Amino acid sequence: DQKGKHGSASPLWSSHLYSVTMLSLALITAPGLALVARAPAPALSAVRAPNLAMQLATPPEGYDGAVAAGIKKANMDAGKIFGLGLMSGAHIGFGAFLMLTVGGQCPGLAATNPGLQKIVAGAFGLPFGLMMTLVTGAELFTGNTAMVTTAVAEGKADGGQLAKSWLVSYAGNFLGSVGLAALVAAGGTLAASGAPVATAVAKTSLSFKQAFVRGILCNWLVCMAVYMASMAKDLPGKIVAIWFPISAFIALGLEHSVANMFIVPLGILSGAAVTWKAFLLKNLLPVTLGNIVGGAALVAGAYSFAYGKLGKPVPA
């Protein structure tokens, strides 16, 4: 009898039905499972190689990408450049703020192991400031000395557009950096630290020649960071491209005009015996000129020679 008292299926019949169902499923899926089991796994190198190619442009492609970025910056409206310049000035200011807070407050380490203290100062601060600028598309004067110059070198932008990009982003960076310095001074988080005062005095004590040459070397590294980051197609790649050159320029004691727009005013607002005139003429002017040479000649000019018009033979 297949039914129980109440007309429901008996346990024995249910058991047979379950067994038949499972056997049918096994017969249907077994061939597919066998094929999956026999399919060879792809070689690890075959998986990695395309991914690496997708994540990093080749050097010629990277230069073309830098030119494209320079064209976009050259065509940008002046008001937009200024607004994005304000943001970038604040970004770099935050990086310098962190640098002074961490690396600038290690007097014991500076006395016993000055090299390690410089590495600490470089690793914590300015790299994250540049990350914020590049990831969000803000306008940084020092980076524009290279990127927009590549567009000019390739005949894709003119001198007027170059001047607009440089001057307007510089003005935005200055106001953004000085404004953040005023907020930090008002907040008093570094009031008990001598780092802002000591750093402002040291930077305005350089000779014109020293500040100029340190500006050249600094923006050579900064623009290499910007240039290499533009070649990376994912965020981790951009971070690596930024981190090492930026931490290096701090550890090496070089001079960045936009970072100094925050550092020296913060020192002045914190009581440093430095005048605004001394800051502008003894530090900011020579450092800015050096930064222009480093970005425009040693990065934009060099790579245009390698991959662009400057390296092509002049027609007879």
Side-chain angles (χ1 to χ4, degrees), residues 85-310:
L86 285 171
M87 295 179 193
S88 185
H91 295 161
I92 301 302
F94 270 116
F97 184 16
L98 180 60
M99 178 195 73
L100 292 171
T101 301
V102 179
Q105 298 193 88
C106 301
L109 184 61
T112 59
N113 195 335
L116 181 58
Q117 186 271 336
K118 290 177 180 177
I119 291 174
V120 171
F124 295 97
L126 267 299
F128 108 87
L130 186 58
M131 285 176 204
M132 288 193 290
T133 282
L134 295 187
V135 171
T136 62
E139 286 290 307
L140 179 63
F141 161 74
T142 47
N144 288 350
T145 62
M147 303 300 275
V148 182
T149 305
T150 61
V152 175
E154 301 308 312
K156 304 295 178 64
D158 59 34
Q161 291 174 306
L162 181 72
K164 175 190 68 175
S165 174
W166 287 9
L167 292 173
V168 177
S169 63
Y170 191 87
N173 291 168
F174 185 86
L175 290 178
S177 295
V178 173
L180 184 68
L183 289 174
V184 171
T189 58
L190 287 171
S193 169
V197 170
T199 306
V201 170
K203 286 181 175 293
T204 53
S205 298
L206 298 172
S207 69
F208 193 99
K209 177 183 176 181
Q210 288 175 324
F212 175 70
V213 173
R214 292 185 191 191
I216 293 174
L217 296 172
C218 174
N219 210 35
W220 192 349
L221 289 177
V222 171
C223 288
M224 285 303 302
V226 173
Y227 182 62
M228 291 190 297
S230 73
M231 297 171 68
K233 299 178 182 179
D234 61 4
L235 185 58
K238 291 181 184 295
I239 290 172
V240 171
I242 291 167
W243 196 280
F244 289 100
I246 301 304
S247 61
F249 99 70
I250 296 294
L252 294 171
L254 305 179
E255 294 287 318
H256 187 261
S257 57
V258 181
N260 289 355
M261 292 173 186
F262 171 86
I263 295 169
V264 180
L266 178 61
I268 293 172
L269 295 172
S270 301
V274 175
T275 65
W276 285 94
K277 181 180 178 180
F279 164 51
L280 295 173
L281 297 181
K282 297 186 67 177
N283 180 269
L284 194 58
L285 175 61
V287 170
T288 299
L289 295 175
N291 287 171
I292 291 172
V293 173
L298 299 178
V299 177
Y303 287 100
S304 178
F305 181 81
Y307 304 116
K309 275 190 174 182
L310 293 185

